[in-house]
Amino acid sequence: MHLAVAAGSDVGRVRKGNEDSYYADANEHRGLFIVADGMGGHAAGEVASHMAVGIVSDDLAELNDLENAHAFETVSDALRHANEAVFERTLLEKDKHGMGTTASVLVLADERFIIGHIGDSRIYLLRNGELRQLTHDHSVVQEQLDAGIITQQEARNHRQSNVITRCIGMEFHLEADITDGDVQVGDVFLLASDGLTGMVEDWRLQQLLASRLPPARIIDAMIEEANARGGVDNITAVVVRIHSSPAMTTGAYPTSHPGADIGG
């Protein structure tokens, strides 16, 4: 299994700062990818997302065997660790009260994947031309969709579209959604904050992911389209394409923005 990877983040056209964080690290045999969308005033959202990405990436640095019976628990524990650290900081520092972050984590190894997820950032899989959302939003809008109260089209323009029901830092005890599956040559994974998925519809994401463009060009096109449609939020995306032969664009990508306060 060989991975071609690109990642990028943009402040958008409305926000003054970028509260998103991401992590992307890949070699020929294994990849770890994270997108986190922070929230909270006084740059606290940026702190929360950076803390979550840092803790989870450290905790999962040695997770290489996804067939191991404890692999699910390892991913869950990493997110739980991040949640406890962020929550404790909200109690210790007044200006961090109420901060939190989403976290969507993808681990790839040995033709398997494991996903850990909290919040409304998303992970998609494009396989054989079909785009499928692998995560389930923890949001008020998703609950109304699940209950049949609103339609998919109504959900896109809902006034509570940014209200989430579960996030890292919300409370001390928090459970993540954990799922897994097989990886096939030709698969393309997308991790994205809602600054992308709220602006660019799934059918267009599918078109871009199915194109023959290299991942870096896909990222640029996605960010450009999200900004063209308003850019009302920070925009972050990671694209991972599975190849049968070594890819030229594997590598590590930054996990933080300059000047971020991520101290404990």
Side-chain angles (χ1 to χ4, degrees):
M1 180 178 73
H2 302 280
L3 310 179
V5 181
S9 188
D10 189 83
V11 69
R13 291 190 168 182
V14 175
R15 302 292 179 90
K16 294 182 178 180
N18 194 341
E19 294 185 318
D20 287 358
S21 298
Y22 64 88
Y23 181 90
D25 186 30
N27 56 40
E28 290 183 359
H29 310 291
R30 187 256 194 190
L32 172 61
F33 313 98
I34 309 167
V35 165
D37 179 359
M39 62 212 73
H42 306 289
E46 184 177 358
V47 173
S49 67
H50 279 73
M51 286 181 66
V53 164
I55 291 169
V56 172
S57 60
D58 284 348
D59 285 1
L60 299 182
E62 302 302 320
L63 179 60
N64 297 304
D65 182 6
L66 302 191
E67 299 288 353
N68 188 293
H70 300 292
F72 265 46
E73 184 179 354
T74 301
V75 175
S76 181
D77 285 348
L79 287 165
R80 188 178 298 113
H81 180 197
N83 176 69
E84 291 172 358
V86 172
F87 181 75
E88 287 176 354
R89 191 161 177 184
T90 69
L91 301 179
L92 293 172
E93 300 179 33
K94 289 184 179 180
D95 64 336
K96 304 299 188 295
H97 180 71
M99 77 174 180
T101 182
T102 69
S104 294
V105 182
L106 172 67
V107 189
L108 297 171
D110 299 324
E111 300 180 349
R112 297 284 297 168
F113 71 80
I114 292 181
I115 286 173
H117 170 71
I118 297 174
D120 66 348
S121 295
R122 293 178 179 177
I123 299 178
Y124 292 86
L125 169 61
L126 179 80
R127 175 174 290 173
N128 298 324
E130 180 181 349
L131 187 68
R132 181 162 56 101
Q133 185 177 330
L134 301 180
T135 54
H136 195 73
D137 293 352
H138 299 137
S139 67
V140 169
V141 168
Q142 186 63 57
E143 289 181 350
Q144 294 185 7
L145 270 171
D146 293 343
I149 297 172
I150 59 175
T151 65
Q152 193 70 48
Q153 189 58 42
E154 289 171 333
R156 292 199 63 82
N157 303 305
H158 200 285
R159 60 185 178 84
Q160 291 183 299
S161 60
N162 62 339
V163 179
I164 60 176
T165 56
R166 199 187 309 179
C167 73
I168 286 176
M170 179 178 288
E171 54 189 58
F172 188 75
H173 296 290
L174 190 67
E175 292 298 321
D177 292 346
I178 310 292
T179 188
D180 68 343
D182 295 322
V183 175
Q184 299 179 9
V185 171
D187 284 352
V188 185
F189 291 88
L190 168 66
L191 294 80
S193 66
D194 68 344
L196 175 64
T197 60
M199 292 286 99
V200 183
E201 294 192 35
D202 286 4
W203 67 266
R204 181 54 179 155
L205 296 176
Q206 179 175 330
Q207 280 187 337
L208 291 169
L209 293 170
S211 72
R212 300 181 65 87
L213 293 172
R217 292 280 304 279
I218 293 174
I219 293 287
D220 290 343
M222 287 179 173
I223 290 174
E224 183 179 349
E225 290 213 17
N227 277 322
R229 295 172 184 272
V232 300
D233 201 353
N234 306 145
I235 308 154
T236 299
V238 178
V239 171
V240 184
R241 182 180 287 152
I242 314 300
H243 288 273
S244 58
S245 58
M248 299 300 295
T249 53
T250 56
Y253 290 77
T255 63
S256 60
H257 304 292
D261 174 15
I262 59 175

